[in-house]
Amino acid sequence: MSVGIDLRYSLPTAAEDGDVAEVLRAAILNGTIPPGTRLHQPQIADLFGISRTPVREALHKLSAWGLVDLVVNHPATVRHLQPDHYADVSVVWAELAALAVELSVLRDADVADALRQGVRDEWAMVEALTRDLQMPSGAGETWIGAQELFHTTIIEASNSPRLREMIESTTGIVPWQTIWKAVEGRPYPLRSTVLRHEEVMVLMRRGAAREAADAMRSHILELGNAVVAFVRHARDEASTDPPLDDALTRDVQH
Amino acid sequence: MSSTESQIAPSGAAAEITKVLAAEILRGEHEAGSPLRQASLAERFEVSRTPVREALHQLVALGLGTFQPHVGFHVRGISREEYLDAMVIRARLEGLAAERATKTVQSTQLAELTQIERELEQVSNQAASSATGHPLGARQKWSRANERFHDLLVRLANCPPLEAAHTMSVRAYPRDVTWLAVERYPSALEEYCNDHRGILDALRRSDPEAARVQACAHVERALDYLRLVFEVDGETHAVAPFAG
């Protein structure tokens, strides 16, 4: 299985947009490029109308995100991601996010105040959900926006480009859209998320770096559990259908 | 290159060149913004341009270089803060790795780790008994064994994303830069050996909390020594104090 002609229609041409890695990442995560697919450098270069160098860089990025396997002298292969992999990712993410909290308390005295409005908006949303027993329209975007704001504010305040880069790379396989799918319409995880945000914020304001970091760690591990359950459920449902993944694996192996 | 798949993972030569250049950049031997010319590097390392190009791309990935089409590769200055930050991150990751390893480690792996620890102790003992400081080759011996010890520890956690993150944090700098501290504070080697034994002990007792604390404290000790070296060198910029 290699990148076939159909991708020419399903992938936007990103040559002008520049970021081949982002386009490929989105395509892998939404299943347009299924697990087991071999990504040949020349084909990708042709597809996007670019030279090999940026393609090679993009494949290195995908590899750092854990999305493809790289073997010398072979095309990159899109990985089969197991639920356990998401569990492992969330453990590492939790550790890095906890460190970001600790550093930001030390390095930016105003960080907790910067978090306040976002947490307020998130509360309003969760309360609307509890009141109306249905998701308000655009809830996904609002929720994802609130998560991004909360977490990037802390990461920026930690003032460590390396840490930011590592969190980005570790969380490459779990974009907020995926996490949203895992918690969507479920009042309990939505409520516990905003409660955790509040807890982290309050502890940060008190300057309790260690405690705030512990709260953040628990928060990410909880989100991770939700994602693992979601992925497991999705896989179990898929396994009652014809095993598409297995067919692809066979194709790659033989 | 046109008909076959070009190499993706760096070849042995490229990896070696990357390491050497990274060490030089971090020691400040290349000025920030100075060009990294493929032709002269190929000549210097006595290889073709292909591994050199690969190594330069690696340097860019490590955040130590920049690349622009038609302009080429240049040295990107790395600050001491960035360097120390990478070690702060590494301390946490190794703590996490050691904690998880207490649940997954097998006896053969533990034996391997013990063996490496003995090698490290040997270097330390030889250094201690030598009147003229560290014998020749000690740095290399120590650095290699030390890298093996830490990489194996991380591998024992059996957690691919953790390994990837650790690689990212340690690739940011050559680990033998920590030897700078050993040269100035010779007793550091003995302390490092004690730390390694403490980590091993926690693994043997399957004590996740102790393993985490010991592994984290060990890297933080190296970090503290480096801060001291940078400060004494008078080249440090204000590094925020870190609650370890």
Side-chain angles (χ1 to χ4, degrees), chain B residues 46-88:
Chain B
E46 298 177 340
V47 291
S48 74
R49 289 209 194 176
T50 310
V52 169
R53 200 158 41 231
E54 195 65 43
L56 292 174
H57 276 300
Q58 285 289 312
L59 280 182
V60 174
L62 295 178
L64 295 174
T66 61
F67 174 74
Q68 279 177 286
H70 311 298
V71 178
F73 294 91
H74 288 83
V75 175
R76 188 182 149 257
I78 178 166
S79 67
R80 303 278 164 144
E81 291 95 321
E82 265 184 272
Y83 181 91
L84 294 171
D85 263 6
M87 273 191 87
V88 169

Side-chain angles (χ1 to χ4, degrees), chain A residues 39-42 52-53 56-57 59-60 63-64 70-76 79 85 87-89 91-92 95-96 98-99 102-103 106-107 158-163 165-166 169-170 209-210 217, chain B residues 1-10 53-54 57-58 61-63 67 78 82 85-86 88-89 92-93 96 100 158-162 164-166 168-169 171-172 212 239-244:
Chain A
L39 301 171
H40 295 270
Q41 285 188 45
R52 296 262 198 104
T53 309
R56 199 158 42 225
E57 278 168 17
L59 292 177
H60 275 299
S63 163
L70 293 181
V71 180
V72 178
N73 285 330
H74 286 280
R79 272 201 189 158
H85 189 72
D88 287 348
V89 163
V91 169
V92 180
E95 195 62 34
L96 295 172
L99 177 57
E102 259 183 77
L103 292 178
L106 290 162
R107 294 177 182 181
S158 74
N159 196 20
S160 171
R162 169 99 24 208
L163 184 56
E165 200 186 329
M166 289 182 61
S169 141
T170 301
R210 269 303 174 91
R217 191 182 287 111
Chain B
M1 288 275 284
S2 58
S3 58
T4 58
E5 200 59 40
S6 65
Q7 286 201 343
I8 291 174
R53 200 158 41 231
E54 195 65 43
H57 276 300
Q58 285 289 312
L62 295 178
F67 174 74
I78 178 166
E82 265 184 272
D85 263 6
V88 169
I89 299 167
R92 300 309 172 92
L93 293 176
L96 179 61
R100 285 180 63 111
N158 197 21
C159 177
L162 178 54
H166 183 257
M168 236 182 128
S169 73
R171 272 192 333 191
R212 182 192 185 96
V239 176
F242 185 68

Side-chain angles (χ1 to χ4, degrees), chain A:
Chain A
M1 171 89 205
S2 60
V3 180
I5 189 137
D6 52 332
L7 285 185
R8 283 168 210 271
Y9 303 101
S10 53
L11 286 179
T13 351
E16 303 89 33
D17 299 331
D19 210 339
V20 181
E22 282 299 331
V23 175
L24 290 175
R25 169 171 172 256
I28 291 170
L29 289 172
N30 70 25
T32 308
I33 303 178
T37 303
R38 294 189 209 179
L39 301 171
H40 295 270
Q41 285 188 45
Q43 278 178 314
I44 296 170
D46 283 353
L47 196 64
F48 288 95
I50 52 175
S51 74
R52 296 262 198 104
T53 309
V55 171
R56 199 158 42 225
E57 278 168 17
L59 292 177
H60 275 299
K61 267 193 189 171
L62 292 173
S63 163
W65 288 334
L67 292 174
V68 303
D69 286 316
L70 293 181
V71 180
V72 178
N73 285 330
H74 286 280
T77 310
V78 178
R79 272 201 189 158
H80 289 265
L81 293 173
Q82 302 297 330
D84 284 353
H85 189 72
Y86 289 92
D88 287 348
V89 163
S90 70
V91 169
V92 180
W93 179 15
E95 195 62 34
L96 295 172
L99 177 57
V101 166
E102 259 183 77
L103 292 178
S104 61
V105 169
L106 290 162
R107 294 177 182 181
D108 183 349
D110 301 326
V111 59
D113 291 332
L115 299 170
R116 198 179 295 156
Q117 187 57 46
V119 171
R120 224 176 258 161
D121 293 346
E122 224 183 318
W123 264 123
M125 189 193 140
V126 173
E127 271 157 11
L129 168 68
T130 318
R131 192 179 54 234
D132 307 335
L133 293 174
Q134 62 173 15
M135 297 306 285
S137 66
E141 274 168 44
T142 313
W143 190 82
I144 290 167
Q147 306 310 307
E148 278 174 351
L149 181 67
F150 184 83
H151 289 276
T152 54
T153 302
I154 292 174
I155 292 166
E156 290 307 322
S158 74
N159 196 20
S160 171
R162 169 99 24 208
L163 184 56
R164 189 192 62 218
E165 200 186 329
M166 289 182 61
I167 291 175
E168 276 170 10
S169 141
T170 301
T171 57
I173 69 155
V174 274
W176 286 109
Q177 285 80 355
T178 303
I179 301 173
W180 169 249
K181 279 188 209 149
V183 298
E184 186 180 5
R186 297 172 54 209
Y188 178 72
L190 289 176
R191 186 172 273 274
S192 75
T193 296
V194 66
L195 276 169
R196 283 291 190 196
H197 285 181
E198 202 171 59
E199 187 186 357
V200 170
M201 180 180 75
V202 168
L203 290 166
M204 286 176 85
R205 193 159 48 206
R206 272 190 220 150
R210 269 303 174 91
E211 289 79 1
D214 286 342
M216 177 62 106
R217 191 182 287 111
S218 306
H219 165 48
I220 302 292
L221 291 175
E222 283 162 9
L223 287 182
N225 285 340
V227 170
V228 170
F230 171 73
V231 173
R232 197 162 277 151
H233 181 71
R235 189 193 57 174
D236 292 347
E237 281 206 332
S239 68
T240 57
D241 295 331
L244 180 67
D245 276 4
D246 288 355
L248 288 166
T249 319
R250 266 200 305 279
D251 186 19
V252 168
Q253 281 169 347
H254 300 289

